[in-house]
Amino acid sequence: MTSGAPGEVLYAAAFDGFQDEWELYNEERIAEITDGVLRLTNNTVNNGSYSVTNSRFNDFDLTVDARAVAGPLDNGYGVVFRLKDRQNYYTFMTSSDGYYQVARVVDGNITELSTFNVDSSIVNQGISTVNRLRVVARGNQFQFYINGEQVQVCIPNNPDAQSTYFMDSCIDGQMLDTLTDDAIAQGQIGVVVQTFSESGVTVEFDNLVVLGS
């Protein structure tokens, strides 16, 4: 388990190497380190894929630059964290059309902790634009940032309910600065892409830094 004092650099990758430190593959879904970036491509409709580091973290402060370079605006890309295994992890994603989401997968079951319907002018929209994403995890509390600004999450009052955001309102829930969730205590960190009705999403990730929190 990798840990350290707040602000201490625990891990950093500029992707000018690091071939043996990341999960790489080349099928319908591709994860490759090339041209100084970690590039993920997903050619399957309505599907998510990720690449993670070998190290495991509990508390951390992670930032990464992400840029969609191909595919539809209706996409998802961002950070996967506290990945225990392929059936248990969290994701924080934004999209090229200006939305963001926080989700949890436990025993293979996906729960939107904060729905993808939440939009924000903070997100740099369009293909080939860079968004800097940040996730801060301390115990069972999580905070999320896009381009240096903290974003709120739409958390349902019923912990077993799906997050619902409509007409600029968090339905049967609250917009909060901090997500509290204790389902997964530690795991690997990495990056993720998501397709919806169209495939062919390609996203490049760079300048990933993990600090102690």
Side-chain angles (χ1 to χ4, degrees), residues 7-20:
E8 178 184 350
V9 176
L10 305 181
Y11 181 79
F15 300 111
D16 50 359
F18 303 90
Q19 298 282 344
D20 59 344

Side-chain angles (χ1 to χ4, degrees), residues 1-3 53-58 82-85 186-189:
M1 182 69 58
T2 303
S3 60
T53 63
N54 297 329
S55 300
R56 291 180 175 269
F57 302 83
N58 45 19
R82 289 203 177 162
L83 185 140
K84 180 180 178 181
D85 52 42
Q186 55 85 19
Q188 294 166 279
I189 56 94

Side-chain angles (χ1 to χ4, degrees), residues 160-176:
D160 296 323
Q162 291 279 356
S163 173
T164 304
Y165 188 85
F166 182 71
M167 298 289 288
D168 297 327
S169 295
C170 184
I171 307 302
D172 294 326
Q174 303 177 68
M175 297 298 296
L176 301 175

